[in-house]
Amino acid sequence: PHNALSRRMPVEWNHWWPYEDALINEEVFKANSDVGRKMGFEVSMLDAGWFGRSDEKSQWYSLRGDWHLVNAVRFPSGLASLGRHVKANGQTFGMWCEIEALGSDAELARQHPEFIAQRDGQPLGYICMGNPQAREWAFATVKRLVEEYGAGWLKFDFNLDPHAGCNRTDHGHGSGDGLYEHYRGYYALLDRIRESYPDVLLENCSSGGLRIDLGIMQHLHVTFLSDPDYTEHALQLTWGASMMLHPSTMLRFTWSQVRDYQRHNRAVDPLSPDTPTHKLDYILRTGMMGILGMSYRLEDLPPQHRERIVQQIQFYKQHLRELLRDGDFLPLTAQPDRNGSGERWPAFLAVAQDKSQAAMFVFRMPGAADACQVRLRHLDPQKRYRVSYQDSGRTLTLIGERLMHQGLPFDAMPEESSEIVLLRSE
């Protein structure tokens, strides 16, 4: 079930992709939070890079587990001060934490060897939540993030595959049920956090632990769909995730800027100054079919892109998120494929429970035919709907039966463009 914050479906900015840990610091984070407030972002999320020893060159992956240490070189005023700054902007302060993970250089492994998940004596790279003492340590960590630093949104990640799990027999489970007890313990931890801090939003990050399933979603509020967020991938994933998840639980980033394009094998900045408006909308609207998140250098955005993002955030808040929160969501076409195959005119529909209004999202992907006709679903066949194309300005009044049997036409759209159609019953 949702809490007040998750039900709001707040628009989130996350620092990670354009800054990672190497470039994030107190000054950069505050500057982006300040710009984000003016743009309409309601959450500022501090991702990896805040914890571990005080070293400008420290690397997040090897220090996971040392959540008791704050990197004072990057954040000299401390995280409580940072949290207050975000709250003063009228935003929720979010924090990333890979609560189970154990980096190779983490002090935690030396301080608490009894916490370590092992298989046949070899460490698996995480803390075994089948151990009751480890769960107590984890809850104390979360308590500090919430009560001392002011986190109102916790992003729980897991960047590894636990494989067959822990087979130690000295910390709370038998040799054959370590993975099962780890998940039972993790779920119990999540439930305790929700009970103790009912106003805090808990986010699941699918990531390497393959965690995007109905079991884990009984214990969290929202799930982050995928680190790869380029538009073709995002459309394919939205189609698949919608088979089991409601859009009010699905968080995705629009196609992110990244710190190192060569390392990520991406030759393009999706928000370069020459990105045309229709392509920017195509990128942004993939995130507007659920909880809208972005990972951009907000303080450095080209003015025209900043203005357009502001417009789209306002449109999302005014016309889409209540419908996405309370209505039904369904694909109207076959699934698009990120390798250039599959449906090249994917379309999706959010429709109110009483069928009085709906929002249709249509995307023309590379390789699509010049035009298409998309039939709608789940409308009232007897109602008359005012149909408004947001980009082309076309308006029609059609009966629901006509919209479902014959559909709506889409043409004169360049590749990598999109359209949103709003429907209101008369």
Side-chain angles (χ1 to χ4, degrees):
H2 284 295
N3 63 11
L5 182 58
S6 67
R7 183 165 173 76
R8 185 182 175 192
M9 298 177 65
V11 181
E12 180 212 13
W13 172 78
N14 183 303
H15 92 251
W16 178 249
W17 284 118
Y19 298 105
E20 297 185 10
D21 54 343
L23 299 180
I24 195 61
N25 57 46
E26 182 178 306
E27 181 181 353
V28 169
F29 191 85
K30 286 182 175 180
N32 278 277
S33 178
D34 293 346
V35 174
R37 172 183 60 82
K38 298 174 184 176
M39 294 180 67
F41 287 91
E42 297 157 312
V43 179
S44 285
M45 171 67 68
L46 181 64
D47 212 286
W50 59 265
F51 59 92
R53 59 178 175 265
S54 296
D55 179 353
E56 193 174 90
K57 296 182 179 179
S58 69
Q59 207 276 335
W60 69 277
Y61 194 81
S62 64
L63 297 175
R64 291 167 304 152
D66 285 350
W67 317 114
H68 61 294
L69 300 175
V70 174
N71 190 324
V73 172
R74 292 178 180 155
F75 299 94
S77 301
L79 297 188
S81 172
L82 193 67
R84 287 192 295 270
H85 183 93
V86 172
K87 288 184 179 180
N89 277 334
Q91 298 175 320
T92 296
F93 181 44
M95 292 190 69
W96 176 98
C97 181
E98 200 167 348
I99 191 66
E100 307 141 272
L102 185 62
S104 58
D105 297 331
E107 290 182 7
L108 182 66
R110 296 184 291 277
Q111 294 171 349
H112 292 284
E114 73 278 11
F115 290 179
I116 302 174
Q118 295 179 347
R119 189 159 193 87
D120 300 332
Q122 298 301 310
L124 295 174
Y126 65 96
I127 299 299
C128 181
M129 291 295 166
N131 182 343
Q133 293 178 317
R135 294 198 298 274
E136 288 298 322
W137 162 85
F139 183 78
T141 297
V142 169
K143 181 178 181 180
R144 183 168 54 253
L145 302 186
V146 174
E147 296 186 9
E148 294 184 25
Y149 303 155
W153 179 320
L154 296 174
K155 181 184 182 80
F156 289 127
D157 207 344
F158 195 48
N159 283 284
L160 56 91
D161 188 333
H163 297 288
C166 179
N167 63 1
R168 291 176 66 166
T169 58
D170 61 348
H171 66 191
H173 61 79
S175 62
D177 61 353
L179 186 60
Y180 175 69
E181 290 300 328
H182 173 77
Y183 274 96
R184 275 170 43 91
Y186 183 55
Y187 291 173
L189 171 66
L190 295 174
D191 291 343
R192 184 181 176 187
I193 296 168
R194 288 186 63 156
E195 182 179 355
S196 302
Y197 305 107
D199 296 329
V200 174
L201 186 151
L202 301 186
E203 174 194 341
N204 171 60
C205 191
S206 59
S207 201
L210 309 178
R211 291 180 172 177
I212 182 168
D213 58 74
L214 297 178
I216 203 166
M217 288 308 298
Q218 296 178 68
H219 306 276
L220 301 111
H221 299 101
V222 304
T223 189
F224 182 71
L225 295 186
S226 177
D227 280 349
D229 52 31
Y230 60 95
T231 302
E232 282 197 326
H233 180 274
L235 290 170
Q236 180 181 9
L237 191 59
T238 296
W239 194 100
S242 70
M243 297 295 105
M244 66 174 183
L245 297 175
H246 192 263
S248 64
T249 69
M250 296 193 298
L251 167 68
R252 66 183 61 73
F253 294 164
T254 57
W255 189 1
S256 300
Q257 294 172 310
V258 293
R259 179 175 73 89
D260 185 339
Y261 285 91
Q262 184 174 2
R263 181 164 70 85
H264 291 283
N265 195 28
R266 299 181 186 177
V268 232
D269 177 354
L271 267 63
S272 64
D274 59 352
T275 300
T277 299
H278 72 261
K279 183 172 181 179
L280 178 59
D281 288 349
Y282 173 77
I283 291 168
L284 297 176
R285 285 169 175 167
T286 59
M288 293 164 64
M289 295 185 289
I291 301 169
L292 177 57
M294 300 185 198
S295 190
Y296 296 136
R297 296 184 295 274
L298 299 182
E299 56 180 339
D300 298 327
L301 288 176
Q304 72 275 19
H305 292 345
R306 181 181 300 181
E307 181 180 354
R308 188 59 176 172
I309 290 172
V310 168
Q311 292 170 356
Q312 294 290 19
I313 288 175
Q314 290 174 342
F315 183 85
Y316 171 80
K317 291 177 179 179
Q318 182 177 352
H319 296 288
L320 299 178
R321 69 175 172 184
E322 182 178 346
L323 186 58
L324 289 161
R325 183 191 68 206
D326 298 330
D328 295 321
F329 184 79
L330 55 151
L332 297 176
T333 62
Q335 186 174 24
D337 197 319
R338 63 188 175 189
N339 67 9
S341 62
E343 175 62 51
R344 307 316 286 168
W345 277 97
F348 304 85
L349 185 72
V351 57
Q353 292 286 333
D354 64 2
K355 306 184 188 303
S356 64
Q357 57 179 318
M360 182 182 185
F361 302 80
V362 179
F363 300 86
R364 186 183 180 198
M365 300 173 72
D370 292 340
C372 74
Q373 191 93 359
V374 182
R375 289 184 294 177
L376 286 75
R377 296 165 56 194
H378 284 212
L379 301 179
D380 185 327
Q382 304 307 318
K383 286 186 184 291
R384 293 177 62 83
Y385 290 92
R386 181 172 177 80
V387 179
S388 304
Y389 288 68
Q390 297 307 295
D391 291 345
S392 72
R394 185 188 313 181
T395 59
L396 307 164
T397 300
L398 297 169
I399 194 166
E401 184 178 20
R402 159 71 168 75
L403 289 162
M404 291 189 288
H405 287 180
Q406 296 184 36
L408 290 173
F410 296 88
D411 53 26
M413 291 169 55
E415 290 189 351
E416 295 186 297
S417 68
S418 61
E419 178 67 276
I420 292 181
V421 180
L422 297 182
L423 296 95
R424 297 289 186 273
S425 63
E426 296 185 338

